[in-house]
Amino acid sequence: MTHIISSIAESVKNVWTAKFLIGLMFVFKLLSSFVLVFPLCLMYSSSFGANVKAPNLLSGFDPSLVIDFVYSWRQTLSIYFFMLILACGIIIVAYLFLSGGFWGILRDQVKKKEIAIPNGPPENTLEKFFGYSGSYFGGMLKIALLMIPLYLLAFLLVIMLNVIFGSIAGKTYIWEVTSWRMVVRILIAIFLFMWFKMTGDYMRISLVENKGEPFGVVIRRAFRFVLTNAFATL
């Protein structure tokens, strides 16, 4: 337990030391949210800016508002959803590109502490960051594509284990959130999805730590590490 806490503390310290990464991630997420939400906010404001029913959308959900909104923007919404899908795709690719820089810079910080590199001339962090982003983009994209079937596998395992659990402990309805059976079902889902997510993180760590190795070797090393340290990684 002490080792786990110290590892978490060291991770937070490494990220906090690289304030450049925190700021870049904040700006990236802020711009992404703005691109996705701003067109919809403009349409909503144009439709309901002078509508006396508008406050009811949050205080007492009024379906007529949604119907009016869809009818008013029935042609524009199809374009918006197409642009939304396109923007999401671009944002995902941009995130995969930037993630290589994040992992590369954090790897450098850890190595500096391990081998105690003396302070030298200031480095161009921005240049190194985008260098790592381009260098690891292919591997990050492969990992992201690999995670799609893994998450589908996790979803199927959750369904299968819930069916088995339901046949043993009895049927549970989704609104029974305080039932111990529902709590167990939720914990099963959280455990499986967190385990697969951690597997993806260790794939990225293995990719950065073992640059130049075949992708299959990187993936096998990550799976072996997570399987042998299942509870420590969670």
Side-chain angles (χ1 to χ4, degrees):
M1 187 65 183
T2 305
H3 177 69
I4 295 174
I5 295 174
S6 62
S7 298
I8 295 173
E10 185 66 21
S11 301
V12 173
K13 184 179 178 181
N14 287 333
V15 174
W16 181 251
T17 302
K19 296 181 178 63
F20 161 77
L21 299 182
I22 299 174
L24 187 62
M25 178 60 77
F26 174 78
V27 172
F28 174 75
K29 290 188 175 182
L30 183 65
L31 291 176
S32 301
S33 302
F34 181 81
V35 169
L36 295 177
V37 175
F38 185 68
L40 194 61
C41 290
L42 285 180
M43 287 190 288
Y44 179 82
S45 177
S46 300
S47 296
F48 306 122
N51 193 321
V52 294
K53 292 184 178 181
N56 294 333
L57 186 63
L58 295 178
S59 60
F61 181 71
D62 189 350
S64 64
L65 281 175
V66 179
I67 295 172
D68 290 343
F69 179 78
V70 173
Y71 180 77
S72 176
W73 296 93
R74 58 188 180 279
Q75 294 180 341
T76 309
L77 278 176
S78 60
I79 300 174
Y80 169 75
F81 283 120
F82 171 76
M83 296 300 295
L84 178 67
I85 294 172
L86 182 62
C88 287
I90 294 173
I91 289 169
I92 290 172
V93 172
Y95 177 78
L96 292 175
F97 175 76
L98 295 176
S99 62
F102 293 131
W103 288 104
I105 294 294
L106 290 175
R107 186 271 317 273
D108 286 352
Q109 287 186 337
V110 173
K111 284 193 172 182
K112 283 181 180 180
K113 291 182 180 179
E114 289 178 350
I115 61 179
I117 297 178
N119 293 328
E123 298 178 335
N124 191 334
T125 307
L126 191 62
E127 182 180 345
K128 290 184 64 177
F129 175 84
F130 284 106
Y132 287 137
S133 296
S135 178
Y136 295 121
F137 175 70
M140 294 295 175
L141 180 60
K142 291 178 183 178
I143 291 173
L145 294 175
L146 180 61
M147 290 305 297
I148 295 174
L150 289 181
Y151 278 128
L152 289 175
L153 176 61
F155 180 73
L156 293 175
L157 287 174
V158 168
I159 294 176
M160 182 183 71
L161 291 175
N162 277 322
V163 169
I164 295 174
F165 178 76
S167 64
I168 297 173
K171 191 174 181 180
T172 308
Y173 296 100
I174 194 168
W175 57 82
E176 298 180 63
V177 291
T178 57
S179 169
W180 70 270
R181 297 183 184 89
M182 182 56 67
V183 171
V184 172
R185 291 173 184 269
I186 293 173
L187 289 177
I188 290 173
I190 291 175
F191 179 84
L192 283 173
F193 278 99
M194 282 296 295
W195 190 84
F196 279 101
K197 183 184 182 304
M198 291 301 301
T199 302
D201 288 339
Y202 277 97
M203 287 181 192
R204 297 177 185 96
I205 293 172
S206 180
L207 175 70
V208 173
E209 287 287 343
N210 304 281
K211 184 180 179 182
E213 287 195 353
F215 186 70
V217 176
V218 170
I219 298 307
R220 285 197 299 272
R221 182 181 287 108
F223 268 105
R224 184 167 59 249
F225 180 85
V226 174
L227 287 171
T228 55
N229 301 274
F231 291 100
T233 53
L234 286 171

